[in-house]
Amino acid sequence: MSEPRSTPRHRRSRTALAVGVPLALTAAGTLAYGTDLGVLGLTAQQASAAAPSWAADTADGFASVNSLGQNGTYGGRGGQVVTVKTQAELEKYATAAQPYVIVVAGAIHLNPVGKEIKVQSDKTIVGAGTSGHIVGGGFFLGQGVHNVIIRNLTIRDAYQGVWNDKDHDFDAVQMDGAHHVWIDHNDLRHMADGLIDVRKDSTNVTVSWNKLSDNNKTFGIGWTQNVKTDITIHHNWIRETEQRNPSTDNAAHAHLYNNWLEDAPGTAIKSAYGNYSRGGTKMVLENSLFQGVNNPVIKDSGAAVVQRGNSFSGTSGRNESGGTAFDPKTYYPYSLDKAADLPSILKAGAGPRASIGKTAASPKAAAATTLTVAKDGSGQYTTVQAAVNAVPANNPSRVVIAVKPGTYRELVKVPSNKPHVTIQGTGGSRKDTTIVYNNASGTPKPGGGTYGTSGSATVAVEADDFQARNLTISNDFDEKANQHLKDHQAVALRTAADKVFLDGIIVSGDQDTLLLDTAAKDRLGRVYVSNSYIVGNVDFIFGRATAVVDRSVITLKKRWNGDSAGYVTAPSTAANRKGILIANSTVNGDVSAGSFHLGRPWHAGGDASLDPQTTVRNTNLSNAIKSAPWTDMSGFSWKDDRFAEYKNSGAGAGPASSNRPHLSDAQAANQEVADWLAGWTPAAS
C-alpha cells in the first residue's frame, strides 16, 4: 500500500472433497502438495480415465505433521496412475519400490482368505467410486513404511465365524512400525480380528471419515511400552462394534474429535466400551457423539483424557476424564462440527463416495495441458514467465505449469487474457520450489520512476480462474540495506482477478506481502487461500478482494530492526461487498506479546465510500495479538467500518467489548466460508 505507516446460512456439503470439507484438511503448517493428475507423466486423457481428480489430496491431522524425515502424507503423488482389477495387479504395484496411485476398480477377493498385502512406502490406494472392494483380507504396513494413503475403499468379510476371534489375525489395515499414514473415506467391516490396528510405535496417523461397523474389535492403538504414537481420529461413524472403539495404549498424542459412536437398540452386538485411554496415553476428546454406548469413555489411572463438547445419549457406565493432555492446534489447525450434527453429517459424508469433488456448480473440468519448467533445462522452459508466455491468449481450458524444484529469481505476470492457469511445484515440499524477487514500492524503475506497491509484486495474477499449489512465492527486499529508499512496501503475490485458488503454498515477505485485489473497484474478485502459510509484519494481507484465508497459518514476523509491531490485515473493501475472512486458522510467530493488531481500515486514496471488512473466526490467536485488536488508519476509524471476531481461541483471544466486537451466532451464520465464495466451489485442477 501507499499509505504511510503510523443471507441465509449456507451449510457446507460433506459429500464433496471441496472447500470447507474436513476431508482434505491439511495441517496448514506442514502440508506438502505435489503434482496433480495432469502432470503425472501420463497423457491428460489417460490420467483423467485412470483416477478420480481428488487422488492427489493430502492428509490433515498428525499425518500432515513434518517429522521422521517425512513432510506430510501425500501417498503416491508424482508416481504413475494405474488401475487394478486383480490381486496380482494390486500386489505388483502395492509392493513396488516406486510411488504409485493405485486405483481399485471392482471387487478383488484375496487368496488365501486373511491375506494382508504388504504395502510399501509412497502409495495411494484408492477406490474407483464405490466399486473398489477388498474382500477377505486387507493391507499390512511394516516397519519403516511411510507416506501411504488408503482411501475410498470397502474392506470386508474376512470373518471366520468366531465373534471374539483369537486365532485369526485378519485385519483390514494393520501397521507395525509405520508412519505418516492416512486412512480416509473407507467402509471397514466384518473382519476376523481388528478393523484397524496401529501397533509397534506406528505414528503420524490420521483416520478420518470412515464407516467402521459389524465387528468385535474395531480399532486398536499401541501394544508397546514406548509412548510414541501421534494419531488423529475424526469424523468416523463407529456402529455396532463391541470393543476397541478405539482402545489407545501409550499414545503420546491422541486427538479424537467429531466421531459418532452408535450402539443401536435391538441388535445382537452390544458395546463393551467406547473410547479407552490406557497406559501413558494423553487423549483430547472433542465434540463426539455417543449414543447407546456402554462405558462411553474410560481411562486407566496413569492415562489422561481431556473432554470438551461431547454429547452422550442413552449411555451407561463409566464416563471419565482427568489429567492433562496437549493442545492439538500447536500441531495443526482443525475445525469442529457440533456433536448434535454428526448423524446427518456422517450419514451423508462417511465412507466411500461415488463422486467426490464434483457438484452441479463444478462439472468435471477438461483435461489440462501441462508445460514443464526446470532451471537445469530438463523441462520445456527454464523460467516460469516463459511458460506463461507460451499459454495461448484466451485459452479455453486449464494449463498447468509444472515447476521443478529450484529457486527461480524472476518476475512473473499472468495477464488477464490467460485464464485457467495453474502454477504448481513438483517437489516433495512447498519449500522445494521458490519464485522470488526483491522489488519494493520505492525501487527505481529502469525507465524512471518507482514501481509502486502493486508494481513491486514478485508474482502478479490478473487472469481469472488462477491456481497456485505446492510452492513458495517470496519478496526478499532488504529493508535494512535500503533505508535510503522512501517506500518499503514489497509485495510477494498480487491477485487482481476472480476465482483465485491458492492451495498449499507459502507467501512470504515483510510489509504488504499478499495483495488481494480486484480488476476494478466495481468488479468481484474472489480469492480462496487454504492450507497455506502467510508470513509478514505490516498490513501483510490487504486489498479489496472478497478473500478467504482458511485452515492456514499466519506467521507474524519482526521488522527489520527487531521491533515487534504490526498489522495482519488492511482491507479496502468496496461498500456492499465482503472483505477478508480468516477462518479455522492459526496466528502465531516469534514476536512480543501484545504487539500486533489484527487489522486496520485502508481507505485507499482517501476514498470515504469504501467499507473495509475483516472477520476473524474459529481461529487460534497467539499472545502476540493485542487485547484491542483493531486500530485506525490515516484518519479513518475502524469503528466506522466492519471488523469483528467469532469464537476465536488461544492466548490472544478475548471477550467481547466496545474495543473488541464479536459476532452473534445469527451474524456468524451469514459470515461463513460459503457466504464469501458465493456459489464458487474451488477444486484442484
Side-chain angles (χ1 to χ4, degrees):
M1 288 174 299
S2 57
E3 291 287 348
R5 298 297 158 224
S6 20
T7 68
R9 182 170 186 173
H10 299 282
R11 292 302 302 165
R12 58 183 185 254
S13 168
R14 266 75 178 186
T15 62
L17 290 183
V19 171
V21 185
L23 310 181
L25 281 180
T26 46
T30 54
L31 259 179
Y33 275 68
T35 56
D36 207 333
L37 292 178
V39 291
L40 289 174
L42 300 176
T43 68
Q45 183 176 10
Q46 287 171 321
S48 175
S53 62
W54 52 275
D57 285 343
T58 54
D60 63 337
F62 276 115
S64 69
V65 172
N66 187 354
S67 67
L68 300 175
Q70 178 66 35
N71 190 5
T73 303
Y74 43 86
R77 184 219 59 222
Q80 186 179 359
V81 179
V82 294
T83 299
V84 300
K85 297 182 179 180
T86 68
Q87 179 176 334
E89 292 171 336
L90 177 58
E91 287 193 83
K92 172 184 175 181
Y93 295 111
T95 61
Q98 59 266 48
Y100 280 103
V101 175
I102 305 167
V103 182
V104 179
I108 297 177
H109 293 255
L110 297 190
N111 183 24
V113 171
K115 182 177 181 64
E116 294 176 1
I117 292 174
K118 294 182 178 180
V119 180
Q120 295 302 312
S121 301
D122 305 319
K123 302 294 184 295
T124 295
I125 305 175
V126 58
T130 58
S131 69
H133 287 232
I134 306 299
V135 183
F139 297 105
F140 177 83
L141 283 62
Q143 184 67 42
V145 170
H146 59 277
N147 191 31
V148 174
I149 296 172
I150 297 174
R151 203 169 192 213
N152 216 55
L153 289 167
T154 296
I155 307 177
R156 59 179 172 86
D157 295 333
Y159 184 63
Q160 296 298 293
V162 178
W163 179 244
N164 191 2
D165 195 333
K166 299 182 183 298
D167 296 321
H168 300 96
D169 187 14
F170 298 168
D171 300 327
V173 181
Q174 179 174 313
M175 304 171 213
D176 281 3
H179 66 93
H180 287 87
V181 179
W182 186 26
I183 302 173
D184 177 75
H185 260 75
N186 301 289
D187 181 350
L188 310 179
R189 52 185 158 90
H190 207 225
M191 301 296 286
D193 189 51
L195 298 179
I196 302 173
D197 275 359
V198 180
R199 314 191 316 173
K200 298 183 180 179
D201 298 336
S202 294
T203 192
N204 294 101
V205 177
T206 296
V207 179
S208 56
W209 294 91
N210 299 286
K211 295 170 67 175
L212 308 173
S213 67
D214 190 17
N215 224 70
N216 181 280
K217 304 165 188 172
T218 309
F219 189 171
I221 303 162
W223 294 287
T224 175
Q225 295 304 306
N226 302 320
V227 183
K228 181 176 179 179
T229 299
D230 289 347
I231 189 165
T232 304
I233 303 166
H234 73 86
H235 288 93
N236 298 285
W237 182 9
I238 303 174
R239 183 179 188 276
E240 296 307 297
T241 57
E242 183 171 330
Q243 57 180 313
R244 301 182 187 173
N245 294 307
S247 172
T248 308
D249 182 36
N250 283 333
H253 304 97
H255 184 202
L256 284 63
Y257 70 92
N258 281 149
N259 298 296
W260 177 23
L261 279 68
E262 181 188 23
D263 188 344
T267 65
I269 300 174
K270 299 298 181 185
S271 59
Y273 58 86
N275 296 163
Y276 190 178
S277 183
R278 300 168 54 187
T281 294
K282 292 188 179 297
M283 178 183 291
V284 176
L285 175 58
E286 301 182 282
N287 286 39
S288 288
L289 174 62
F290 299 80
Q291 290 186 326
V293 177
N294 294 319
N295 303 308
V297 184
I298 59 178
K299 62 180 286 295
D300 287 353
S301 59
V305 178
V306 173
Q307 288 202 45
R308 294 190 287 259
N310 300 304
S311 179
F312 302 88
S313 173
T315 59
S316 60
R318 296 165 64 182
N319 185 356
E320 300 168 340
S321 60
T324 59
F326 60 98
D327 181 2
K329 287 189 175 179
T330 63
Y331 296 90
Y332 51 82
Y334 66 98
S335 58
L336 294 167
D337 289 303
K338 295 179 181 178
D341 294 339
L342 291 176
S344 60
I345 291 170
L346 294 180
K347 284 180 180 179
R353 312 308 303 156
S355 178
I356 299 182
K358 305 292 184 253
T359 67
S362 59
K364 181 175 176 62
T369 298
T370 300
L371 307 176
T372 58
V373 177
K375 287 176 64 70
D376 61 7
S378 61
Q380 296 166 278
Y381 306 94
T382 57
T383 68
V384 179
Q385 187 61 54
V388 172
N389 294 343
V391 176
N394 303 310
N395 51 298
S397 60
R398 179 66 50 186
V399 177
V400 175
I401 297 174
V403 187
K404 293 187 177 182
T407 298
Y408 298 80
R409 181 163 287 277
E410 60 174 299
L411 298 172
V412 177
K413 180 178 180 180
V414 184
S416 60
N417 66 345
K418 296 189 177 185
H420 319 303
V421 168
T422 295
I423 300 178
Q424 180 168 292
T426 65
S429 163
R430 68 187 93 193
K431 295 180 180 180
D432 292 346
T433 304
T434 298
I435 305 172
V436 60
Y437 212 75
N438 61 345
N439 281 338
S441 178
T443 301
K445 295 173 68 174
T450 59
Y451 283 97
T453 299
S454 63
S456 70
T458 299
V459 175
V461 176
E462 298 176 354
D464 291 346
D465 194 22
F466 172 84
Q467 299 188 7
R469 188 168 294 107
N470 193 44
L471 51 78
T472 296
I473 299 172
S474 178
N475 190 316
D476 63 354
F477 172 72
D478 188 340
E479 291 188 72
K480 183 176 181 180
N482 287 280
Q483 286 298 295
H484 61 285
L485 296 182
K486 178 183 177 183
D487 298 316
H488 290 183
Q489 301 91 335
V491 176
L493 173 60
R494 173 175 71 91
T495 70
D498 189 32
K499 297 184 179 179
V500 175
F501 186 17
L502 309 174
D503 189 25
I505 69 172
I506 299 171
V507 188
S508 179
D510 288 321
Q511 181 176 338
D512 290 13
T513 302
L514 179 59
L515 171 51
L516 303 173
D517 210 349
T518 67
K521 181 179 176 181
D522 61 349
R523 294 275 300 278
L524 179 63
R526 289 165 292 179
V527 181
Y528 181 65
V529 185
S530 68
N531 308 313
S532 294
Y533 282 108
I534 306 170
V535 183
N537 48 38
V538 176
D539 302 333
F540 62 99
I541 304 173
F542 73 109
R544 66 187 174 206
T546 296
V548 177
V549 178
D550 187 20
R551 297 177 283 134
S552 294
V553 174
I554 297 168
T555 301
L556 311 176
K557 184 179 179 181
K558 291 181 179 179
R559 298 198 188 187
W560 67 271
N561 59 2
D563 289 348
S564 291
Y567 316 86
V568 177
T569 68
S572 57
T573 322
N576 301 314
R577 288 204 186 277
K578 294 187 181 296
I580 296 171
L581 172 65
I582 297 172
N584 312 310
S585 293
T586 297
V587 179
N588 60 21
D590 184 17
V591 296
S592 300
S595 59
F596 270 73
H597 288 93
L598 284 176
R600 57 182 183 168
W602 179 32
H603 285 259
D607 187 348
S609 72
L610 299 178
D611 191 13
Q613 180 183 30
T614 295
T615 296
V616 181
R617 61 174 295 164
N618 306 106
T619 288
N620 187 272
L621 306 178
S622 78
N623 67 358
I625 299 303
K626 292 177 177 286
S627 58
W630 313 105
T631 191
D632 302 340
M633 185 177 188
S634 302
F636 289 91
S637 171
W638 69 269
K639 292 186 178 181
D640 295 332
D641 294 309
R642 298 174 288 169
F643 294 88
E645 297 177 78
Y646 182 70
K647 291 190 176 180
N648 292 322
S649 61
S657 70
S658 59
N659 288 318
R660 191 158 201 169
H662 285 204
L663 301 175
S664 67
D665 289 345
Q667 290 170 325
N670 292 314
Q671 294 201 33
E672 295 185 340
V673 171
D675 299 295
W676 250 250
L677 300 181
W680 170 46
T681 303
S685 59

